PDB file of all heavy atoms in Angstrom:
ATOM      1  N   GLN Q 161      10.213   2.191 -28.032  1.00 76.00           N
ATOM      2  CA  GLN Q 161      10.354   2.786 -26.707  1.00 76.00           C
ATOM      3  C   GLN Q 161      11.409   3.881 -26.706  1.00 76.00           C
ATOM      4  O   GLN Q 161      11.235   4.937 -26.099  1.00 76.00           O
ATOM      5  CB  GLN Q 161      10.718   1.709 -25.671  1.00 76.00           C
ATOM      6  CG  GLN Q 161       9.612   0.722 -25.408  1.00 76.00           C
ATOM      7  CD  GLN Q 161       8.422   1.380 -24.749  1.00 76.00           C
ATOM      8  OE1 GLN Q 161       8.566   2.155 -23.831  1.00 76.00           O
ATOM      9  NE2 GLN Q 161       7.238   1.084 -25.252  1.00 76.00           N
ATOM     10  N   ALA Q 162      12.520   3.653 -27.403  1.00 78.00           N
ATOM     11  CA  ALA Q 162      13.588   4.652 -27.476  1.00 78.00           C
ATOM     12  C   ALA Q 162      13.102   5.899 -28.209  1.00 78.00           C
ATOM     13  O   ALA Q 162      13.400   7.026 -27.794  1.00 78.00           O
ATOM     14  CB  ALA Q 162      14.803   4.068 -28.173  1.00 78.00           C
ATOM     15  N   ARG Q 163      12.339   5.726 -29.294  1.00 77.00           N
ATOM     16  CA  ARG Q 163      11.797   6.882 -30.019  1.00 77.00           C
ATOM     17  C   ARG Q 163      10.825   7.668 -29.147  1.00 77.00           C
ATOM     18  O   ARG Q 163      10.806   8.891 -29.165  1.00 77.00           O
ATOM     19  CB  ARG Q 163      11.094   6.426 -31.300  1.00 77.00           C
ATOM     20  CG  ARG Q 163      12.046   6.057 -32.425  1.00 77.00           C
ATOM     21  CD  ARG Q 163      11.305   5.901 -33.741  1.00 77.00           C
ATOM     22  NE  ARG Q 163      10.240   4.907 -33.684  1.00 77.00           N
ATOM     23  CZ  ARG Q 163      10.380   3.609 -33.906  1.00 77.00           C
ATOM     24  NH1 ARG Q 163      11.579   3.122 -34.195  1.00 77.00           N
ATOM     25  NH2 ARG Q 163       9.348   2.787 -33.850  1.00 77.00           N
ATOM     26  N   GLN Q 164      10.016   6.951 -28.371  1.00 73.00           N
ATOM     27  CA  GLN Q 164       9.042   7.618 -27.513  1.00 73.00           C
ATOM     28  C   GLN Q 164       9.753   8.430 -26.429  1.00 73.00           C
ATOM     29  O   GLN Q 164       9.371   9.560 -26.136  1.00 73.00           O
ATOM     30  CB  GLN Q 164       8.115   6.596 -26.869  1.00 73.00           C
ATOM     31  CG  GLN Q 164       7.037   7.213 -26.011  1.00 73.00           C
ATOM     32  CD  GLN Q 164       6.122   6.162 -25.401  1.00 73.00           C
ATOM     33  OE1 GLN Q 164       6.297   4.973 -25.625  1.00 73.00           O
ATOM     34  NE2 GLN Q 164       5.159   6.614 -24.645  1.00 73.00           N
ATOM     35  N   ARG Q 165      10.809   7.845 -25.830  1.00 69.00           N
ATOM     36  CA  ARG Q 165      11.550   8.582 -24.800  1.00 69.00           C
ATOM     37  C   ARG Q 165      12.238   9.803 -25.387  1.00 69.00           C
ATOM     38  O   ARG Q 165      12.323  10.847 -24.751  1.00 69.00           O
ATOM     39  CB  ARG Q 165      12.572   7.670 -24.134  1.00 69.00           C
ATOM     40  CG  ARG Q 165      11.988   6.755 -23.089  1.00 69.00           C
ATOM     41  CD  ARG Q 165      13.069   6.078 -22.277  1.00 69.00           C
ATOM     42  NE  ARG Q 165      13.953   5.272 -23.085  1.00 69.00           N
ATOM     43  CZ  ARG Q 165      13.790   3.977 -23.348  1.00 69.00           C
ATOM     44  NH1 ARG Q 165      12.755   3.348 -22.849  1.00 69.00           N
ATOM     45  NH2 ARG Q 165      14.643   3.324 -24.091  1.00 69.00           N
ATOM     46  N   ALA Q 166      12.738   9.687 -26.620  1.00 69.00           N
ATOM     47  CA  ALA Q 166      13.417  10.817 -27.254  1.00 69.00           C
ATOM     48  C   ALA Q 166      12.434  11.930 -27.588  1.00 69.00           C
ATOM     49  O   ALA Q 166      12.788  13.112 -27.566  1.00 69.00           O
ATOM     50  CB  ALA Q 166      14.137  10.347 -28.517  1.00 69.00           C
ATOM     51  N   ALA Q 167      11.178  11.580 -27.894  1.00 65.00           N
ATOM     52  CA  ALA Q 167      10.181  12.577 -28.258  1.00 65.00           C
ATOM     53  C   ALA Q 167       9.632  13.319 -27.046  1.00 65.00           C
ATOM     54  O   ALA Q 167       9.144  14.440 -27.170  1.00 65.00           O
ATOM     55  CB  ALA Q 167       9.032  11.908 -29.013  1.00 65.00           C
ATOM     56  N   GLU Q 168       9.694  12.708 -25.867  1.00 59.00           N
ATOM     57  CA  GLU Q 168       9.179  13.349 -24.665  1.00 59.00           C
ATOM     58  C   GLU Q 168      10.094  14.484 -24.245  1.00 59.00           C
ATOM     59  O   GLU Q 168      11.313  14.362 -24.305  1.00 59.00           O
ATOM     60  CB  GLU Q 168       9.082  12.345 -23.513  1.00 59.00           C
ATOM     61  CG  GLU Q 168       8.048  11.278 -23.730  1.00 59.00           C
ATOM     62  CD  GLU Q 168       8.068  10.220 -22.637  1.00 59.00           C
ATOM     63  OE1 GLU Q 168       8.938  10.301 -21.740  1.00 59.00           O
ATOM     64  OE2 GLU Q 168       7.222   9.329 -22.685  1.00 59.00           O
ATOM     65  N   PRO Q 169       9.521  15.598 -23.813  1.00 57.00           N
ATOM     66  CA  PRO Q 169      10.373  16.689 -23.338  1.00 57.00           C
ATOM     67  C   PRO Q 169      11.036  16.296 -22.021  1.00 57.00           C
ATOM     68  O   PRO Q 169      10.454  15.561 -21.225  1.00 57.00           O
ATOM     69  CB  PRO Q 169       9.399  17.849 -23.131  1.00 57.00           C
ATOM     70  CG  PRO Q 169       8.078  17.209 -22.944  1.00 57.00           C
ATOM     71  CD  PRO Q 169       8.116  15.920 -23.732  1.00 57.00           C
ATOM     72  N   PRO Q 170      12.253  16.759 -21.801  1.00 53.00           N
ATOM     73  CA  PRO Q 170      12.912  16.440 -20.534  1.00 53.00           C
ATOM     74  C   PRO Q 170      12.181  17.103 -19.375  1.00 53.00           C
ATOM     75  O   PRO Q 170      11.506  18.114 -19.565  1.00 53.00           O
ATOM     76  CB  PRO Q 170      14.326  17.031 -20.706  1.00 53.00           C
ATOM     77  CG  PRO Q 170      14.169  18.076 -21.752  1.00 53.00           C
ATOM     78  CD  PRO Q 170      13.055  17.621 -22.648  1.00 53.00           C
ATOM     79  N   PRO Q 171      12.280  16.534 -18.171  1.00 50.00           N
ATOM     80  CA  PRO Q 171      11.596  17.148 -17.037  1.00 50.00           C
ATOM     81  C   PRO Q 171      12.139  18.545 -16.764  1.00 50.00           C
ATOM     82  O   PRO Q 171      13.305  18.819 -16.970  1.00 50.00           O
ATOM     83  CB  PRO Q 171      11.905  16.206 -15.871  1.00 50.00           C
ATOM     84  CG  PRO Q 171      13.049  15.388 -16.315  1.00 50.00           C
ATOM     85  CD  PRO Q 171      13.030  15.356 -17.805  1.00 50.00           C
TER      86      PRO Q 171
END
Side-chain angles (χ1 to χ4, degrees):
Q161 292 294 315
R163 283 192 303 273
Q164 183 179 0
R165 280 191 300 269
E168 293 174 357

